[in-house]
Amino acid sequence: MVDGFRPETLREALKLRKQYDCLPIAGGTDLMVQKARGFALKPDFEKPLLFIGHLPELHKIVIEKNQIHIGAGVLLTDLVNSDIIPEIFKEAVCRMASPASRNLASLGGNICNASPAGDTLPYLYAVDAKLVLKSVSSERIVPIGEFITGPKQTDLEHAELLTEIIIPNKLFNVNYYRKVGQRKGMSLTKAAFLGMADVENRKLTDIRIAFGSVAQTVVRSREIETDIIGKSSGEYINAIPTILKQYAPLIRPIDDARSSAIYRKKVSLRLLEDFLMRLN
Ligand SMILES: Cc1cc2nc3c(=O)[nH]c(=O)nc-3n(C[C@H](O)[C@H](O)[C@H](O)COP(=O)(O)OP(=O)(O)OC[C@H]3O[C@@H](n4cnc5c(N)ncnc54)[C@H](O)[C@@H]3O)c2cc1C
């Protein structure tokens, strides 16, 4: 037996979270792998579990004041089936794991797991997603880039749960997402690239660029994006070599079982170049 609590409401969950040193579990698709000890052995959970995946308060997807509010317990499958979620985000989610895993895995779990290879993260960084962190007596809203502090590290406090993810209800007119893995389905990311832009009258009015799996956390540079915004098509095409040079030092992948650092860096810069060429 694994010890755990199964609250009926979010409020009850927050009370338990405050009262006990317990580990939130939503779909368990990360935790069950991380804590597995082998066939027929119970997983090695050092703390009681707090089951939150079933809480109705964590399952909404709604638009309020032109922002999309997504409950932390929303399943990856539900994101893909939603009419509200932007297609480019769905494209990234569709490439994650398998249909069976996506039926269990939550958006909040992918964020709180804080893997540099988390596939929902490049989009969430690119749109400046905000996270609602609640305890029984407080609520704070934190930008995702401040919440994730390193590989597998977050700013989540002892008594808190991630309850909601807020993204702008905005579509870009150019959208580009590539996940490079061993194969098309069921593969963990070697490198991911997401680019979005608004081009009006051949002038760039907005651009967002995010790289996954090539540094300690998602790579996004507002400074470089601001340099590019406002350029006309001829100007930014001429600037591509400079832009590649600006991003190169920010991309600092590691060698691991999935890929080599050199491959990851090369392919990431090629994807950036391909995206920029398509803006013309
Ligand atoms: C076969 C397989 C393939 C996979 N493929 C991919 C892939 O392609 N891309 C990818 O990015 N991931 C992949 N994953 C990882 C995993 O499926 C995702 O990260 C998933 O979104 C995790 O969600 P979950 O609900 O299962 O999280 P859980 O395992 O329940 O939790 C993960 C972490 O988040 C914490 N947590 C969860 N919810 C909350 C909350 N609301 N508040 C505070 N803390 C919380 C937990 O305590 C835990 O530390 C794969 C996993 C498996 C097993």
Side-chain angles (χ1 to χ4, degrees):
M1 279 286 291
V2 172
D3 291 332
F5 304 100
R6 196 177 189 283
E8 293 297 325
T9 63
L10 176 59
R11 181 149 185 86
E12 200 190 324
L14 292 172
K15 279 188 185 163
L16 289 163
R17 179 95 169 115
K18 182 170 183 201
Q19 202 176 347
Y20 299 96
D21 185 16
C22 52
L23 183 63
I25 181 163
T29 60
D30 273 314
L31 277 179
M32 292 300 284
V33 175
Q34 287 160 12
K35 306 291 179 182
R37 286 195 305 148
F39 178 68
L41 294 173
K42 85 172 186 184
D44 188 18
F45 291 113
E46 64 279 4
K47 297 176 182 181
L49 296 175
L50 179 62
F51 291 92
I52 56 170
H54 60 287
L55 295 174
E57 296 94 327
L58 301 183
H59 281 268
K60 65 175 183 183
I61 308 181
V62 292
I63 299 179
E64 280 167 17
K65 296 187 184 149
N66 216 24
Q67 296 195 304
I68 303 176
H69 295 248
I70 309 169
V74 164
L75 303 177
L76 301 182
T77 301
D78 295 336
L79 287 175
V80 175
N81 291 337
S82 163
D83 294 335
I84 295 177
I85 299 297
E87 287 303 319
I88 183 73
F89 190 26
K90 291 186 186 182
E91 209 177 314
V93 175
C94 275
R95 295 286 315 275
M96 291 172 69
S98 62
S101 303
R102 294 197 295 270
N103 287 340
L104 273 176
S106 66
L107 177 59
N110 196 244
I111 296 169
C112 292
N113 190 50
S115 162
D119 283 323
T120 65
L121 304 182
Y123 175 81
L124 296 174
Y125 272 70
V127 297
D128 296 315
K130 295 190 188 76
L131 308 183
V132 181
L133 304 165
K134 275 192 184 161
S135 77
V136 80
S137 55
S138 68
E139 174 177 318
R140 60 191 178 112
I141 300 183
V142 178
I144 190 160
E146 288 174 25
F147 178 71
I148 296 179
T149 52
K152 305 268 174 193
Q153 284 164 20
T154 70
D155 175 38
L156 189 73
E157 285 177 9
H158 162 74
E160 285 178 335
L161 287 173
L162 168 62
T163 57
E164 202 172 290
I165 298 95
I166 306 174
I167 58 174
N169 183 25
K170 169 179 168 41
L171 299 177
F172 290 81
N173 57 32
V174 183
N175 295 276
Y176 181 104
Y177 176 73
R178 298 287 186 278
K179 164 170 170 162
V180 180
Q182 198 69 18
R183 54 190 172 264
K184 254 196 154 172
M186 271 301 284
S187 82
L188 297 175
T189 302
K190 294 171 190 264
F193 175 85
L194 182 129
M196 297 184 297
D198 282 330
V199 185
E200 282 160 32
N201 302 323
R202 298 178 68 80
K203 201 170 185 179
L204 262 177
T205 56
D206 199 351
I207 190 161
R208 312 290 173 96
I209 291 169
F211 300 85
S213 214
V214 290
Q216 302 246 312
T217 60
V218 168
V219 172
R220 181 174 170 212
S221 167
R222 286 184 185 71
E223 291 79 8
I224 305 175
E225 290 172 5
T226 307
D227 276 357
I228 309 172
I229 291 170
K231 288 195 187 332
S232 63
S233 70
E235 284 171 336
Y236 61 71
I237 292 296
N238 289 337
I240 288 178
T242 310
I243 298 169
L244 296 180
K245 272 194 199 132
Q246 286 174 302
Y247 275 104
L250 306 182
I251 298 171
R252 292 190 292 260
I254 54 165
D255 287 314
D256 67 10
R258 282 182 226 161
S259 191
S260 66
I262 193 161
Y263 174 79
R264 285 177 154 138
K265 183 157 186 163
K266 206 165 185 175
V267 84
S268 299
L269 291 171
R270 289 287 293 132
L271 291 171
L272 169 62
E273 185 178 10
D274 188 40
F275 166 63
L276 293 170
M277 295 294 290
R278 285 166 195 245
L279 294 178
N280 204 7

